[in-house]
RNA sequence: GCCGGGGUAGCUCAGCAUGGCCAGAGCGUUCGACUCAUAAUCGAAAGGUCGCGGGCUCAAGUCCCGCCCCCGGCACCA
C-alpha cells in the first residue's frame, strides 16, 4: 500500500489528455479526472505542494478530417474543444493548475528534442511502409479510415482494424473504400521512423516488478505483453497536422499522436514551473509523479511512456504511480458516442448539482480496472439515502437545534459521558482513516468511512436526545465540531457542499484552505455564533428520474 | 484461441496473501421507538448449500485439482 508519509516532496498529478474532437463524458470523469481531482485536493489540504496538469490532445487524422468537414482550420478547431473541455471540467469543480495543449510551442520543442536524443542514442530507425492512400483526398489513410468487408465473417462496412461483427482483426479487408469519400484507396510507400520499443523489454520488466506502487493485476498482463515480445512503434504520420519530425529528409511528416501527447505532461509542468520561477526539470525529478488514466491507455502508459523516458536516460523520471481505473457503463452497456449511448457533462449539470455526480461516481468507482455501472435509480438512492439522509440530515439537525434553541451560539461543554468521549475519539481519528484510504487511492472506501462516521454521529445524537435531555450543551458542542470535521474530510469529494457547510458554520475563509489534520481538532469554541441554516441538499424525486430515463433513452 | 479478473445475503461489495471466535458491511425489506431534523433518524429482526464436484487438514469462503458460468484485454484505437 502506498503511504503518503513516504512522500515528503512536491506531488505532480496528471490526468490523461482528452482528445480535442468532441465532448468529454461521464466515463472520462469517473475513471480519470474525478479521482485525480479528489487526490489533488486531498494532497493540497494535507499541506504538500501539488500541481495538477492536463492538456488537450490536439493532433491526428480524425481532428484533421473533422476540421475540414466543419470548414475550420485544425488550429481553430482544437482551440474550440480545448476551451470547451476546460469549461466542462470547471463545471464539475475539477481544477487544474494548468490546462495546456499538445500543440503548444513548448510541447513542440520538447517533443523534437526528445526525438533527437532518442535518435542519437540509437533508438530510432527508418523503414519503408506500404499504406493505403486515397487518391481523391490525397491522404494516407489510417486503419480506422478504410472500411470494407470482413474476410472472416463477411460483414460489410467494417473498419479495417477491427470487425465489430466477429471481433476479429482482419488480415486484409475485402473491397476496401476510403471512409471519407468512398473511393478505392491505392497502396503507396512511405519512409517512416520507428521507435525501438523492443530494446526496452528487460528494463521495462525490471521497472514494473520493482515499482510496488503499481496495481498488481495490471502489472500481470503488462508483463505478459512484454514476455510475448514487444513490437517497435511506428511514430510517423503522413499528414500535415502534427509536430514536424525534425530531420532534413522528413518531408513534412509529423509525429504520431502517442509519441507527442504524453510528453505534454512534462512540457506542461515545465510551463507551470516557469510561472512559479522554478527549475522545471529539477521539480519533475524531485516530485512524486502520478499519471491518472483509464484502462484503455494502459499500453501507452505502462510501456511506451516509460520506454521513451528510459530512452533519454531518464532525464525526466518515470512515473511513481499510474492509478488506472475501468470504464463506466450505462445500464450495463458500453458508452458509445456514435450510438448516442452516453451522458455528457451538460446533460448532467443542467439537471443536478455537481456534487451529486462527484459523490455518486466516487462512491461506485473502485481502485481497479473493473468497469462500473451508471444507473439512474441507484444514483437517486445513493444521493437521497446516503448523502442527504445520513450526512445532510446530521448537519442540518445539529445546526438547526443550535439556531433555534441557543440563538445560534455554540453551547458550553460540561460533564463528559462515555458516549461523548467515544464521539470525540471518532473526531480525532476520522481524518487519518479517510486520509490513509485516499492515499492508497481507495477513494470509494474513504467515502464509506465518512458515511460510517456520519452514521455514528446520528446514532450518538439520537441517544443523547439534545432536544430534551440535560446534557444538551455538551452534545451540541461535540456535534457542531463533528460537522466541521465532516466539512473538511468531505472537501475533496464534494467541494461545493463542503464550502456551504463551512459558510453555515461561519468559520470564515474557505474550507479548502484548512489543514487536513485539523479535522481531528474540536476547534469551534463555545460561544461561537453560526450562520443562517438552510438545508444543504435537495432530494431527487422519483418522477425526475423517470422522466429523465425516458428522455435519455430517446436521445 | 491466448492472457487477466470474477462467481459470498434481494442489490452492490468486503473477507481469501499469513486456513480457526456463531460468514461481514452498505443499500433494500419487515417490525418497534423517537420527533431536533429534508417522513429524515434510532433500535431490532428476517435473509446466505460463500458457482459445482473432488482432495489435503482436527478445521476451508480462505490451500490443491477438475469442471461450469460471467466480465475485460489482445497493442498504434487518438
Amino acid at each position: 500500500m502506498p503511504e503518503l508519509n513516504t512522500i515528503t516532496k512536491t506531488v505532480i498529478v496528471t490526468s490523461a489528455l482528452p482528445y480535442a474532437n468532441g465532448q468529454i463524458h461521464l466515463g472520462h470523469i469517473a475513471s480519470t479526472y474525478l479521482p485525480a481531482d479528489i487526490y489533488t485536493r486531498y494532497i493540497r489540504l494535507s499541506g504538500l505542494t501539488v500541481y495538477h496538469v492536463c492538456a488537450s490532445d490536439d493532433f491526428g487524422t480524425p481532428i484533421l478530417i473533422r476540421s475540414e468537414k466543419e470548414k475550420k482550420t485544425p488550429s481553430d478547431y482544437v482551440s474550440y474543444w480545448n476551451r470547451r473541455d476546460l469549461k466542462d471540467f470547471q463545471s464539475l469543480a475539477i481544477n487544474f493548475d494548468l490546462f495546456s495543449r499538445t500543440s503548444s510551442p513548448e510541447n513542440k520543442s520538447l517533443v523534437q528534442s526528445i526525438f533527437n536524443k532518442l535518435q542519437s542514442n540509437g533508438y530510432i530507425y527508418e523503414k519503408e511502409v506500404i499504406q493505403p492512400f486515397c487518391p481523391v483526398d490525397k491522404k494516407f489513410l489510417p486503419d480506422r479510415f478504410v472500411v470494407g468487408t470482413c474476410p472472416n465473417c463477411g460483414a460489410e462496412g467494417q473498419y479495417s482494424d477491427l470487425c465489430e461483427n466477429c471481433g476479429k482483426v482482419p488480415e486484409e479487408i475485402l473491397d476496401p473504400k476510403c471512409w471519407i469519400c468512398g473511393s478505392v484507396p491505392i497502396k503507396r510507400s512511405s519512409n517512416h521512423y520507428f521507435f525501438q520499443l523492443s530494446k526496452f523489454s528487460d528494463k521495462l520488466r525490471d521497472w514494473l516488478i520493482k515499482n510496488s506502487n503499481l496495481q498488481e493485476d495490471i502489472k500481470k498482463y503488462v508483463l505478459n505483453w512484454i514476455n510475448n515480445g514487444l513490437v517497435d512503434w511506428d511514430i510517423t504520420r503522413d499528414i500535415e497536422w502534427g509536430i514536424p519530425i525534425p530531420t532534413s529528409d522528413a518531408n513534412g511528416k509529423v509525429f504520431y499522436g502517442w509519441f507527442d501527447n504524453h510528453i505534454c505532461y512534462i512540457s506542461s509542468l515545465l510551463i507551470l514551473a516557469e510561472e512559479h520561477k522554478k527549475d522545471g526539470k529539477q521539480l519533475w525529478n524531485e516530485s512524486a509523479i502520478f499519471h491518472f488514466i483509464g484502462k484503455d491507455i494502459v499500453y501507452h502508459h505502462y510501456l511506451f511512456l516509460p520506454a521513451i523516458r528510459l530512452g533519454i536516460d531518464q532525464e525526466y523520471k518515470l512515473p511513481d504511480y499510474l492509478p488506472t481505473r475501468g470504464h463506466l457503463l450505462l445500464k450495463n452497456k458500453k458508452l458509445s458516442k456514435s450510438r448516442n449511448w452516453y451522458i455528457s457533462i451538460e446533460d448532467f449539470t443542467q439537471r443536478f448539482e455537481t456534487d451529486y455526480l462527484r459523490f455518486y461516481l466516487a462512491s461506485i468507482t473502485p481502485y481497479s480496472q473493473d468497469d462500473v455501472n451508471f444507473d439512474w435509480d441507484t444514483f437517486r438512492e445513493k444521493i437521497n439515502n446516503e448523502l442527504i439522509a445520513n450526512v445532510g440530515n446530521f448537519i442540518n439537525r445539529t445546526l438547526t437545534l443550535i439556531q433555534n434553541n441557543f440563538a445560534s451560539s455554540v453551547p458550553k461543554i460540561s460533564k463528559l459521558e462515555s458516549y461523548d468521549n467515544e464521539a470525540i475519539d471518532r473526531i480525532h481519528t476520522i481524518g487519518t482513516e479517510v486520509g490513509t484510504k485516499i492515499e492508497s487511492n481507495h477513494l470509494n472506501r474513504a467515502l464509506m468511512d465518512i458515511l460510517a462516521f456520519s452514521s455514528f454521529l446520528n446514532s450518538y445524537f439520537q441517544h443523547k436526545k439534545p432536544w430534551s435531555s440535560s446534557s444538551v450543551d455538551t452534545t451540541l458542542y461535540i456535534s457542531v465540531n463533528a460537522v466541521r470535521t465532516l466539512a473538511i474530510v468531505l472537501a475533496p469529494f464534494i467541494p461545493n457542499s463542503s464550502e456551504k457547510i463551512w459558510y453555515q458554520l461561519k468559520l470564515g475563509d474557505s474550507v479548502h484552505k484548512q489543514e487536513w489534520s485539523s479535522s481531528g481538532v474540536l476547534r469551534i469554541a463555545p460561544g461561537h455564533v453560526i450562520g443562517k441554516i438552510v438545508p444543504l441538499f435537495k432530494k431527487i424525486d422519483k418522477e425526475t428520474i423517470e422522466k429523465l430515463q425516458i428522455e435519455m433513452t430517446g436521445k
Side-chain angles (χ1 to χ4, degrees):
Chain A
M1 261 327 133
E3 296 286 340
L4 191 70
N5 54 29
T6 61
I7 303 168
T8 50
K9 296 166 188 162
T10 306
V11 177
I12 295 169
V13 173
T14 75
S15 289
L17 311 185
Y19 197 55
N21 77 334
Q23 288 178 44
I24 48 170
H25 57 62
L26 259 47
H28 301 122
I29 300 300
S31 70
T32 304
Y33 305 101
L34 180 60
D37 183 71
I38 291 170
Y39 202 87
T40 303
R41 286 175 180 277
Y42 166 74
I43 298 290
R44 192 157 281 146
L45 284 166
S46 299
L48 292 174
T49 301
V50 52
Y51 300 107
H52 185 190
V53 298
C54 193
S56 56
D57 186 1
D58 289 350
F59 295 123
T61 311
I63 282 174
L64 186 63
I65 290 166
R66 284 283 293 272
S67 65
E68 281 172 5
K69 279 192 175 167
E70 295 185 17
K71 299 198 173 7
K72 286 179 179 169
T73 65
S75 175
D76 285 348
Y77 181 82
V78 297
S79 288
Y80 169 78
W81 284 111
N82 176 286
R83 264 165 250 157
R84 174 61 199 270
D85 286 347
L86 184 58
K87 203 182 121 208
D88 277 348
F89 287 129
Q90 285 169 340
S91 76
L92 295 176
I94 290 166
N95 295 338
F96 303 107
D97 294 281
L98 180 67
F99 188 73
S100 187
R101 46 179 57 188
T102 60
S103 57
S104 73
E106 292 86 353
N107 194 50
K108 273 185 197 172
S109 73
L110 183 63
V111 166
Q112 291 179 337
S113 75
I114 285 178
F115 172 80
N116 288 335
K117 187 154 185 187
L118 289 173
Q119 198 173 34
S120 63
N121 282 352
Y123 297 123
I124 303 288
Y125 64 89
E126 297 178 46
K127 198 173 102 182
E128 286 289 312
V129 294
I130 294 163
Q131 280 193 302
F133 180 87
C134 176
V136 178
D137 293 308
K138 305 226 181 314
K139 277 188 179 63
F140 279 98
L141 300 170
D143 292 338
R144 248 325 231 332
F145 290 86
V146 178
V147 292
T149 304
C150 173
N152 298 312
C153 71
E156 291 176 13
Q158 297 301 323
Y159 296 114
S160 67
D161 60 343
L162 176 72
C163 173
E164 289 192 330
N165 188 48
C166 67
K168 287 184 179 164
V169 180
E171 276 288 304
E172 176 139 8
I173 201 150
L174 306 173
D175 190 21
K177 289 202 172 71
C178 170
W179 181 82
I180 309 161
C181 69
S183 54
V184 180
I186 55 169
K187 302 246 170 160
R188 189 178 275 196
S189 164
S190 173
N191 190 43
H192 278 203
Y193 293 87
F194 282 76
F195 172 65
Q196 285 188 308
L197 186 62
S198 54
K199 270 202 175 174
F200 294 90
S201 297
D202 292 337
K203 283 185 177 175
L204 286 169
R205 189 183 290 114
D206 283 352
W207 172 70
L208 281 165
I209 292 167
K210 277 186 197 150
N211 188 338
S212 60
N213 300 326
L214 304 177
Q215 286 145 284
E216 289 302 319
D217 46 352
I218 298 174
K219 256 190 208 181
K220 278 183 193 167
Y221 69 82
V222 174
L223 283 169
N224 197 49
W225 277 332
I226 296 175
N227 293 336
N228 288 340
L230 295 174
V231 176
D232 293 341
W233 278 59
D234 181 354
I235 55 170
T236 313
R237 288 297 179 271
D238 291 285
I239 58 173
E240 60 271 32
W241 180 238
I243 295 179
I245 297 178
T247 59
S248 54
D249 56 350
N251 293 326
K253 290 179 208 279
V254 301
F255 286 112
Y256 169 51
W258 271 108
F259 184 80
D260 68 70
N261 65 9
H262 65 87
I263 292 172
C264 196
Y265 295 148
I266 301 172
S267 67
S268 300
L269 194 272
L270 297 183
I271 295 171
L272 201 57
E274 175 102 22
E275 285 172 15
H276 286 79
K277 307 251 186 295
K278 287 184 178 170
D279 180 331
K281 193 181 286 185
Q282 192 185 344
L283 182 62
W284 181 276
N285 288 320
E286 284 180 358
S287 300
I289 309 287
F290 289 73
H291 297 315
F292 281 76
I293 62 169
K295 68 174 180 183
D296 51 331
I297 50 178
V298 161
Y299 190 91
H300 313 84
H301 284 75
Y302 281 73
L303 294 174
F304 201 51
L305 176 154
I308 285 182
R309 288 190 201 161
L310 289 167
I312 56 167
D313 310 318
Q314 305 190 51
E315 190 178 333
Y316 294 96
K317 72 172 207 174
L318 275 64
D320 298 291
Y321 299 80
L322 289 167
T324 306
R325 287 181 171 81
H327 289 161
L328 193 68
L329 307 175
L330 181 54
K331 285 191 175 175
N332 283 311
K333 283 196 281 183
K334 283 187 183 183
L335 303 184
S336 161
K337 271 192 200 170
S338 56
R339 295 194 190 107
N340 252 325
W341 190 252
Y342 71 103
I343 304 169
S344 74
I345 308 306
E346 265 188 339
D347 285 337
F348 192 93
T349 53
Q350 280 171 0
R351 295 175 171 89
F352 303 106
E353 281 189 44
T354 292
D355 281 350
Y356 287 7
L357 181 68
R358 293 180 61 111
F359 179 88
Y360 176 61
L361 290 181
S363 74
I364 62 171
T365 309
Y367 183 43
S368 78
Q369 79 281 38
D370 292 343
D371 291 340
V372 290
N373 189 35
F374 187 100
D375 179 90
W376 285 108
D377 292 317
T378 315
F379 165 70
R380 176 177 158 271
E381 282 168 15
K382 279 201 172 261
I383 295 304
N384 287 353
N385 305 336
E386 295 179 22
L387 178 63
I388 303 180
N390 180 356
V391 179
N393 179 52
F394 172 71
I395 294 168
N396 195 236
R397 70 199 300 203
T398 298
L399 300 186
T400 306
L401 207 55
I402 292 175
Q403 177 180 258
N404 295 346
N405 294 7
F406 289 84
S408 295
S409 174
V410 175
K412 277 181 201 158
I413 188 167
S414 55
K415 194 180 80 198
L416 293 177
E417 296 168 7
S418 66
Y419 216 154
D420 298 316
N421 284 319
E422 194 186 341
I424 290 170
D425 202 50
R426 295 288 288 256
I427 292 172
H428 287 330
T429 55
I430 184 68
T432 308
E433 280 171 34
V434 173
T436 304
K437 298 232 164 73
I438 297 179
E439 283 161 31
S440 62
N441 245 296
H442 291 288
L443 307 178
N444 54 336
R445 296 184 190 175
L447 206 44
M448 279 180 73
D449 280 357
I450 298 175
L451 291 173
F453 176 64
S454 177
S455 183
F456 165 84
L457 293 166
N458 267 319
S459 180
Y460 164 73
F461 202 91
Q462 192 78 15
H463 281 96
K464 298 285 284 185
K465 299 189 196 310
W467 55 90
S468 66
S469 78
S470 56
S471 63
V472 187
D473 46 4
T474 304
T475 306
L476 287 179
Y477 166 80
I478 291 172
S479 294
V480 76
N481 272 289
V483 170
R484 178 181 166 280
T485 300
L486 275 171
I488 294 172
V489 296
L490 281 168
F493 298 92
I494 49 172
N496 296 340
S497 307
S498 272
E499 194 73 323
K500 279 187 202 165
I501 300 168
W502 204 254
Y503 184 76
Q504 292 192 19
L505 287 170
K506 216 174 178 179
L507 290 170
D509 210 352
S510 163
V511 69
H512 303 296
K513 290 181 182 166
Q514 304 309 308
E515 281 173 31
W516 183 265
S517 60
S518 83
S519 66
V521 183
L522 283 75
R523 201 161 271 179
I524 301 179
H528 172 78
V529 177
I530 62 171
K532 187 171 180 291
I533 306 309
V534 286
L536 286 167
F537 308 107
K538 206 173 144 229
K539 285 206 168 189
I540 302 168
D541 57 74
K542 213 168 186 170
E543 292 69 40
T544 307
I545 293 296
E546 280 167 3
K547 228 176 95 186
L548 180 67
Q549 303 240 38
I550 294 163
E551 279 175 40
M552 301 296 283
T553 312
K555 206 173 86 166

